[in-house]
Amino acid sequence: MSALREAIDAAAQQIRARLPAGAAPTVGLVLGSGLGGWADDLADRVVIPYRALPGFPTSLVAGHAGNLVYGRSGGVEVLAMQGRVHYYEGHDLPQVVFPVRALIAAGCSRLIITNAAGGTDPRMVPGDLVILADHINLLANSPLRGLNADDVGPRFPDMSEAYDLKMRMLAAEAGVDLGLALRDGVYACFFGPAYETPAEVRMARALGADLVGMSTVPEVIAARHMGARVLGISCVTNLAAGITREKLSHAEVTETAARVRETFTRLIDRIVEKLGQEERP
Ligand code: HPA
């Protein structure tokens, strides 16, 4: 067995050991900047600090709690990550994606990966929620770099439907049910931690990106490597640099995320409910 497989299984085992008897979470969530509150309202919660889980890196960014939360939303059992680590914090990409790998190994074959992002489309308004259709990796690095662990996933995973079409449709339906004007878009992942320059934002827009951010893409690559299905949702917390004359600040990012908390919560609740229905034949 590869060292990576062993490490993932050990973390998944630790997670399971902390859950109530018979628990079987099937949906995993990564809650981005300011969006972690969703997991506070789950039923039958079990909170596991990342530091209790082998191989989990710990986040140092303000606004990113470091807890894995088990619970039920509607009838669906979930594992939600309150906070994530980023490449710019100094972790290597295999460490950045390790928690997502552990969630998948613990049974979450469907993931909802969320983030706060800057919008490159002047028609966007802070607070908009966007379903990811695709991404562009501008990190010039991959979590899969190095020897492949064949017992985790293939050397050359297909990325032609990185964001699962069925899950995207289900998310769109959830938006319609709730009367939300969701749109979809392409997310470009920058290195950070400095926000992009206006020229970089123009470049991203010219390349076809509607959103810019500093996360998500490595996690999605690792999830696809393991064959998990992924839904991505961005909260547009601000228009990207140069789109308006406003300067960017982390405070604005967390304020906008806090402002959409209720809408975001209703949307995720609804999507998870629909994922539960998908489970039943
Ligand atoms: N750029 C990069 N990351 C972000 C942004 C942004 O404008 N907003 C929130 N996260």
Side-chain angles (χ1 to χ4, degrees), residues 29-233:
L29 296 102
V30 181
L31 302 169
S33 296
L35 304 171
W38 180 79
D40 293 337
D41 306 328
L42 292 170
D44 306 327
R45 286 165 82 238
V46 177
V47 179
I48 313 170
Y50 292 160
R51 65 184 134 71
L53 294 170
F56 271 55
T58 36
S59 177
L60 307 165
V61 186
H64 294 262
N67 289 320
L68 183 63
V69 182
Y70 164 84
R72 290 172 190 274
S73 170
V76 183
E77 291 176 77
V78 304
L79 284 173
M81 288 174 59
Q82 283 186 319
R84 56 151 65 86
V85 301
H86 301 79
Y87 191 38
Y88 62 74
E89 291 174 68
H91 306 284
D92 289 327
L93 287 179
Q95 292 174 285
V96 169
V97 303
F98 186 81
V100 160
R101 291 196 181 283
L103 256 57
I104 296 168
C108 301
S109 57
R110 293 166 302 170
L111 298 174
I112 303 176
I113 303 188
T114 69
N115 59 57
T120 71
D121 181 341
R123 290 167 298 189
M124 286 173 171
V125 180
D128 281 354
L129 296 171
V130 181
I131 301 168
L132 300 194
D134 208 342
H135 73 220
I136 300 173
N137 182 7
L138 296 177
L139 294 176
N141 196 354
S142 165
L144 309 184
R145 179 170 180 270
L147 266 189
N148 186 57
D150 294 330
D151 51 2
V152 176
R155 172 74 291 188
F156 299 110
D158 175 44
M159 292 294 281
S160 47
E161 195 185 308
Y163 299 84
D164 187 82
L165 191 55
K166 257 186 92 184
M167 289 178 80
R168 284 166 56 196
M169 284 170 50
L170 195 137
E173 283 167 20
V176 171
D177 291 352
L178 300 172
L180 300 175
L182 298 183
R183 50 171 286 176
D184 59 15
V186 173
Y187 177 95
C189 179
F190 279 85
F191 195 99
Y195 289 115
E196 302 72 29
T197 64
E200 287 165 345
V201 170
R202 285 195 299 274
M203 175 192 77
R205 180 127 192 91
L207 293 177
D210 307 287
L211 303 149
V212 292
M214 308 172 193
S215 69
T216 301
V217 165
E219 293 145 340
V220 174
I221 293 171
R224 293 306 301 143
H225 182 231
M226 294 178 75
R229 294 165 61 204
V230 179
L231 176 68
I233 299 177

